[in-house]
Amino acid sequence: MTRLLDLPPELLTQIAREITPAELRRTVSNLLVCKSWYIWALPIYLSGLRLEAIYLSAHDIERFPSPTGQLYDMVCSNVKHISISLLGRPSKGKGHVAGGTPEDSPNYGRSKLDELVEWRRRFRHTLSAFLQRLPEFNQLERVRFSGSSDAHHQQGPRRDYLFKSSIEQLVSTVPVGLKYFNLDTWGSKLIPMVTETQSVHLCSLLSQRFDQFQHVKIRLRTICPSIFSAPSKANSNLRSMRINLILPSTLESELPNDYGPLSAQNCNALEESQAMIQESMCKAGKAFKRSRPELQSLKLLCRQILEVGINIWELCEVGQSA
């Protein structure tokens, strides 16, 4: 007697089509009968899906589909929005948040420290492999990258986990013509490679890409006026930009006293006061906006200190008359 799976592949595909994609997707077990059935039923299982946005954690990036599979091809052909949200800890087990130096804590177990260091090293390579594929997403319109820290799951001292090379790769590989580019790395200082200087300076690289996007939002731990250094272009796509100089207030009680102020610092002059970095950023921002008539909105989100000593948040419109 001929078994079902002994039938020719085209008949297996026809059977899957008769079952219908919707019925196949009622439960994943309908797809996982055996390897042969999976191969020929998968295209029917995926047909009709509208996969326009993907939201990825560190765990999701580690498990992202192989670049040779049908699922990967479908993702690259349909996805318009990629959002990456990292918390600075391994994907499984108890959480660890970013920042600080675990070696400073005598109560922090060596095994926990080794686990965190190994995860950070391994994830850098995993993230790099994923970012290398970004140009293959030919429908991409939005990219959001958030490197925060999970304060609610803190199991020891904070530790930085984002490498400078990873963010450089992200900025360099995102496709030209994006509608929205959002980069927020408040949860970790950017770690230089052993062969690099200790200076973390991405502003000039970012500046070279801004005119290729329509709407940009940026928040970095360190920033400087050279983020506005790119010369104007006649065919600039840039229509709005928002630079956030404020770090989350949750860091106030959780970061060590020497971790720095709750405002972005100057890449080249870390001792510069909040008022000085805001003034220099505003000055450079005004010149940047004047050189781009098509840029409709440029805003700096700053922490202002009133005479009575109270901190407030103020959204400053750059280049507009009072």
Side-chain angles (χ1 to χ4, degrees):
M1 178 182 294
T2 302
R3 298 181 306 163
L4 173 65
L5 297 178
D6 292 332
L7 294 173
E10 58 270 18
L11 288 182
L12 291 177
T13 301
Q14 182 61 34
I15 291 171
R17 188 174 289 113
E18 292 295 328
I19 295 174
T20 74
E23 184 64 26
L24 283 173
R25 291 196 291 266
R26 284 172 64 92
T27 171
V28 73
S29 61
N30 290 338
L31 188 64
L32 304 179
V33 174
C34 70
K35 185 175 182 180
S36 298
W37 174 253
Y38 175 85
I39 292 173
W40 299 108
L42 181 61
I44 309 303
Y45 181 91
L46 298 176
S47 63
L49 286 177
R50 295 190 61 188
L51 186 61
E52 295 189 353
I54 53 176
Y55 301 85
L56 305 173
S57 65
H59 183 56
D60 298 324
I61 293 175
E62 292 166 348
R63 300 170 64 242
F64 202 75
S66 166
T68 58
Q70 293 172 313
L71 179 57
Y72 180 81
D73 292 339
M74 187 194 72
V75 170
C76 288
S77 300
N78 291 276
V79 165
K80 297 181 179 180
H81 178 192
I82 293 179
S83 179
I84 300 174
S85 297
L86 307 178
L87 296 176
R89 57 185 173 89
S91 301
K92 298 180 180 179
K94 293 185 177 180
H96 300 270
V97 298
T101 308
E103 293 87 340
D104 294 339
S105 174
N107 298 321
Y108 197 65
R110 176 56 56 179
S111 61
K112 292 291 187 182
L113 172 60
D114 292 342
E115 176 188 343
L116 195 57
V117 171
E118 171 59 23
W119 171 81
R120 184 179 72 175
R121 182 199 64 79
R122 186 179 68 251
F123 183 69
R124 178 175 67 86
H125 294 288
T126 303
L127 180 61
S128 177
F130 176 80
L131 295 176
Q132 190 174 1
R133 303 175 193 169
L134 279 181
E136 299 174 15
F137 291 79
N138 48 44
Q139 300 296 322
L140 204 55
E141 297 179 354
R142 297 169 177 253
V143 172
R144 175 183 175 271
F145 185 99
S146 172
S148 60
S149 64
D150 193 352
H152 299 294
H153 293 85
Q154 186 167 350
Q155 301 290 331
R158 305 174 67 88
R159 187 169 181 83
D160 299 315
Y161 67 97
L162 287 176
F163 284 81
K164 175 187 175 186
S165 59
S166 299
I167 307 304
E168 287 176 331
Q169 184 180 14
L170 168 69
V171 174
S172 300
T173 56
V174 288
V176 174
L178 285 182
K179 289 184 178 180
Y180 297 91
F181 178 66
N182 187 340
L183 175 63
D184 189 344
T185 62
W186 72 264
S188 172
K189 293 181 179 178
L190 301 185
I191 307 165
M193 301 298 291
V194 176
T195 56
E196 298 176 327
T197 64
Q198 292 300 307
S199 174
V200 177
H201 186 58
L202 297 175
C203 298
S204 297
L205 177 62
L206 278 165
S207 182
Q208 297 299 321
R209 296 300 316 268
F210 286 156
D211 286 305
Q212 299 170 357
F213 312 140
Q214 291 188 30
H215 307 282
V216 173
K217 291 184 179 180
I218 300 292
R219 175 162 61 177
L220 305 172
R221 298 295 293 265
T222 58
I223 198 168
C224 70
S226 63
I227 202 166
F228 298 120
S229 62
S232 60
K233 295 184 178 180
N235 57 345
S236 174
N237 292 327
L238 190 60
R239 296 297 179 267
S240 73
M241 178 184 292
R242 174 167 161 158
I243 307 290
N244 191 348
L245 302 181
I246 302 172
L247 302 182
S249 59
T250 54
L251 297 180
E252 192 166 3
S253 60
E254 295 170 12
L255 291 179
N257 292 332
D258 61 350
Y259 208 78
L262 296 178
S263 181
Q265 296 176 277
N266 191 311
C267 302
N268 303 309
L270 298 182
E271 73 282 357
E272 191 174 66
S273 68
Q274 293 184 27
M276 292 173 65
I277 181 64
Q278 291 174 18
E279 181 180 355
S280 60
M281 289 289 291
C282 282
K283 181 178 179 181
K286 289 179 180 179
F288 182 85
K289 191 173 188 302
R290 283 196 300 268
S291 68
R292 288 164 172 79
E294 67 283 346
L295 178 55
Q296 300 166 4
S297 174
L298 173 57
K299 298 179 180 180
L300 292 179
L301 188 59
C302 309
R303 182 185 296 276
Q304 300 291 338
I305 302 178
L306 303 180
E307 293 182 0
V308 293
I310 300 175
N311 290 336
I312 64 170
W313 290 7
E314 180 175 300
L315 191 61
C316 300
E317 185 81 21
V318 176
Q320 299 289 334
S321 57

